[in-house]
Amino acid sequence: MELKVTTLEGKAAGGVTVSDDIFGLEPRADILQRCVVWQLAKRQAGTHDVKNRAEINRTGKKMYRQKGTGSARHGSARVNLFRGGGRSFGPTPRSHAIDLPKKVRALALKHALSAKAKDGGIVVLDKATVKDRKTSALQKNFAKLGLTSALIVDGAEVEANFALAARNIPNIDVLPIQGINVYDILRRQKLVLTKSALEALEARFK
């Protein structure tokens, strides 16, 4: 597959050939869905907690005698029937993470890249560097490229000036190649890859 390369100023900078094994697959929604669910479940904190009957600081003494009061039979005031009592079957701290095989994760990333390529949502940049860390100047460059919602992926390291200039622009995410993931690819309209990011992807899936 042939992709056009552009500069940050919107000028043509040749083309690049990418592997059909990575960018030319027929996207499968079920694989993408499994990976997104895995990602979102894994990042949940799982710190939710309520006090159960054993954790309530109230007396366990029987409230009143068993017979003769005309009222229902009750024992401890810590039960869930009463105000201030413990909660039954409430949430406790736990991990929400689920398992997903590495091969399925790798395949999901390929399908996410292929989905963007099929929709024409991939932009290849010559390089993601700026002289000055000016957000306004970078916004003008993005406007020329038609980027209003985009994930920008660079090589092993993102240039400091570019990262600082881009971090305040809404709906723009910047990641190094190690951080590329299915969820972030799908949640933005465009996927912007630098030449070094493409080389790293090709090497990763060899």
Side-chain angles (χ1 to χ4, degrees):
M1 182 183 291
E2 194 76 29
L3 295 174
K4 293 179 181 177
V5 181
T6 182
T7 63
L8 202 55
E9 290 76 28
K11 297 176 182 176
V16 63
T17 304
V18 294
S19 172
D20 286 339
D21 293 336
I22 302 172
F23 293 90
L25 301 176
E26 186 62 33
R28 277 181 54 183
D30 60 321
I31 292 177
L32 296 174
Q33 187 266 351
R34 282 180 68 187
C35 193
V36 169
V37 168
W38 170 77
Q39 271 189 252
L40 296 183
K42 192 176 180 183
R43 78 179 192 180
Q44 277 188 262
T47 53
H48 40 40
D49 193 21
V50 294
K51 288 187 176 182
N52 60 35
R53 182 172 169 176
E55 295 170 319
I56 295 295
N57 187 20
R58 296 178 85 174
T59 180
K61 183 179 179 293
K62 189 168 175 64
M63 299 179 71
Y64 45 75
R65 60 190 175 137
Q66 179 82 346
K67 292 179 177 289
T69 64
S71 297
R73 296 168 292 186
H74 288 300
S76 171
R78 292 189 295 237
V79 296
N80 62 337
L81 269 66
F82 299 112
R83 182 184 178 90
R87 172 107 172 258
S88 293
F89 309 113
T92 56
R94 68 184 180 91
S95 170
H96 290 269
I98 56 176
D99 289 330
L100 191 66
K102 282 185 180 179
K103 288 184 179 180
V104 177
R105 285 182 252 160
L107 187 61
L109 183 55
K110 288 181 182 180
H111 279 264
L113 294 168
S114 297
K116 284 294 177 190
K118 187 177 180 181
D119 295 341
I122 291 183
V123 177
V124 182
L125 276 183
D126 186 27
K127 53 187 177 180
T129 56
V130 290
K131 291 181 181 178
D132 302 314
R133 56 183 78 170
K134 295 288 185 183
T135 300
S136 57
L138 191 58
Q139 271 184 314
K140 289 176 183 175
N141 289 335
F142 286 164
K144 289 177 186 176
L145 294 169
L147 302 179
T148 54
S149 172
L151 170 66
I152 301 168
V153 182
D154 204 351
E157 288 185 9
V158 179
E159 192 207 30
N161 284 351
F162 187 87
L164 289 170
R167 69 181 179 180
N168 280 337
I169 304 176
N171 300 322
I172 297 291
D173 299 323
V174 180
L175 291 173
I177 190 62
Q178 300 93 320
I180 192 170
N181 63 87
V182 173
Y183 178 68
D184 281 334
I185 290 172
L186 297 179
R187 71 195 286 257
R188 299 299 180 204
Q189 290 177 0
K190 297 282 186 180
L191 173 62
V192 181
L193 299 168
T194 62
K195 275 186 173 181
S196 55
L198 279 175
E199 290 169 6
L201 275 175
E202 295 273 357
R204 179 171 172 176
F205 289 119
K206 267 188 179 178

